[in-house]
């Protein structure tokens, strides 16, 4: 029996579980490896991702799904058994997913803004990814903030593309993660981030309705409402939690089973603290969890440093962050646990 979109979406946001975003493009993972003085080759990328997916403590207990990059969904294990990495993820009880957008490209006529590409041929690519084992997908749109942007044109073009992507996913039996990321670069206030996030989510859910996307089989991956990195006054944890939830209550229908955050450049511990504070507010119609890239992988990457002998320490660091974020997804995290 094939699983329904609703069943997959529900499993992706099972209590205390969240998603590992390991879908860095070859360009992005090179930047991460440069920071730990490690050469980025097809083999080093495989070795790194394989030991992450073989971290049983994290994968079996806290990670409901993994977002892969096209290269990784086709790779096999280092041990000569040619086990697909997808099978390692499944053996841990986790669901393989795939990034399918082709990146954010400069939007013609709108300086400083981007439109995410990748719709051409997407139907066929999704059918192939399904055969390779993917049961959910991700598409990221990028909305930047300055005194003059985002424009309505940028928001509308990006949410229209997100909705077309989501409809194609569902046609192929794949749950779409819709990711409209309002960036935290810049010096804007949390209030400005709130205003832009609200406009973006309102536009997104209009577009999803227009394209007949089944909300029960869709997962939202948004930013939190935070102050711009260069803003002189930074909103505190309680303010971020309150503003973020206020925006969601205004814009995200209760039929959406879950909301999983991106970390977006927040420190590891702050990404955890914010998620925990939101879940502690309680009484929310959607599961609220994580789909972190950097906030789950920065610590293990640092501990690994590209050296095989450091793999156990790196796996320990990954399991620790996964556990902290699992507790935050339940509203049961405490800063004291970070030192334990
Ligand atoms: P970060 O958590 O590093 O923002 O990555 C999440 C992601 O998948 C961005 O598309």
């Amino acid at each position: 029996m094939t699983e329904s979109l609703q069943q997959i979406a529900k499993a992706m946001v099972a209590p205390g579980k969240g998603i590992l975003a390991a879908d860095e493009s070859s360009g992005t993972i090179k930047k991460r490896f440069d920071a730990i003085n490690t050469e980025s080759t097809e083999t080093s990328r495989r070795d790194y991702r394989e030991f992450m997916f073989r971290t049983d403590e994290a994968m079996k207990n806290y990670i409901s799904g993994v977002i892969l990059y096209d290269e990784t969904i086709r790779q096999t294990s280092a041990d000569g058994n040619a086990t697909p990495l997808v099978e390692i993820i499944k053996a841990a009880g986790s669901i393989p997913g795939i990034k399918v957008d082709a990146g954010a490209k400069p939007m013609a006529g709108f300086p400083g803004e981007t439109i995410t590409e990748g719709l051409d041929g997407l139907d066929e690519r999704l059918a192939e990814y399904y055969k390779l084992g993917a049961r959910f997908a991700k598409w990221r749109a990028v909305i930047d903030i300055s005194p003059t942007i985002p424009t309505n044109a940028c928001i509308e073009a990006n949410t229209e593309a997100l909705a077309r992507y989501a409809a194609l996913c569902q046609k192929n039996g794949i749950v779409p993660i819709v990711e409209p990321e309002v960036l935290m670069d810049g010096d804007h206030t949390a209030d400005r981030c709130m205003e832009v996030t609200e406009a973006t989510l309102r536009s997104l859910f209009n577009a999803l309705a227009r394209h007949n996307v089944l909300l029960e089989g869709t997962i939202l991956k948004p930013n939190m409402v935070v102050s711009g990195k260069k803003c002189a006054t930074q909103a505190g944890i309680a303010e971020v939690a309150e503003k973020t939830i206020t925006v969601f209550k205004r814009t995200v229908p209760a039929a959406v089973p879950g909301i999983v955050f991106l970390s977006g450049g927040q420190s590891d511990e702050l990404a955890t603290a914010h998620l925990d504070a939101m879940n502690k507010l309680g009484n929310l119609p959607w599961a609220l969890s994580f789909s972190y890239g950097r906030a789950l992988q920065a610590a293990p990457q640092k501990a690994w440093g590209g050296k095989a002998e450091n793999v156990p320490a790196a796996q320990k660091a990954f399991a620790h962050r996964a556990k902290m974020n699992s507790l935050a997804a339940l509203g049961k995290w405490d800063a004291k646990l970070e030192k334990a």
Side-chain angles (χ1 to χ4, degrees), residues 237-242 245 271-282 284 288 328 331-333:
I237 293 168
E239 186 180 347
V240 167
E242 191 268 320
I245 296 300
T272 305
H274 285 151
L275 176 62
D276 180 67
M278 285 185 245
N279 276 304
K280 279 194 167 82
L281 293 175
L284 305 171
L288 222 57
K332 291 183 175 165
W333 175 81

Side-chain angles (χ1 to χ4, degrees), residues 137 139 162-163 165-166 176-180 204-205 208 218-222:
W139 178 291
L162 274 164
Y165 140 84
I177 293 184
V178 288
E179 180 180 7
L204 173 63
F205 283 97
L208 293 174
T218 301
I219 299 290
L220 173 67
K221 176 163 175 169

Side-chain angles (χ1 to χ4, degrees), residues 21 23 67 138 140 179 181 221 262-265 291-295:
D23 60 323
I67 317 175
K138 180 192 109 173
R140 172 174 175 260
E179 180 180 7
E181 176 173 4
K221 176 163 175 169
L262 58 95
S263 59
S291 175
Y292 294 159
R294 282 163 284 180

Side-chain angles (χ1 to χ4, degrees), residues 136-212:
F136 69 92
K138 180 192 109 173
W139 178 291
R140 172 174 175 260
V142 180
I143 307 293
D144 206 352
I145 298 181
S146 83
T148 52
I149 63 171
T151 60
N152 266 338
C154 173
I155 292 175
E156 292 294 318
N158 273 291
T159 58
E160 173 74 10
L162 274 164
R164 288 184 56 199
Y165 140 84
L168 284 167
C169 283
Q170 293 189 337
K171 176 195 166 209
N172 282 283
I174 287 179
V175 168
I177 293 184
V178 288
E179 180 180 7
E181 176 173 4
V182 176
L183 295 180
M184 59 186 283
D185 303 340
D187 60 2
H188 56 269
T189 61
D191 281 332
R192 173 86 171 123
C193 177
M194 184 173 181
E195 174 187 290
V196 173
T197 302
E198 184 170 336
T200 301
L201 292 177
R202 184 160 289 122
S203 166
L204 173 63
F205 283 97
N206 278 333
L208 293 174
R210 203 158 64 227
H211 285 267
N212 291 333

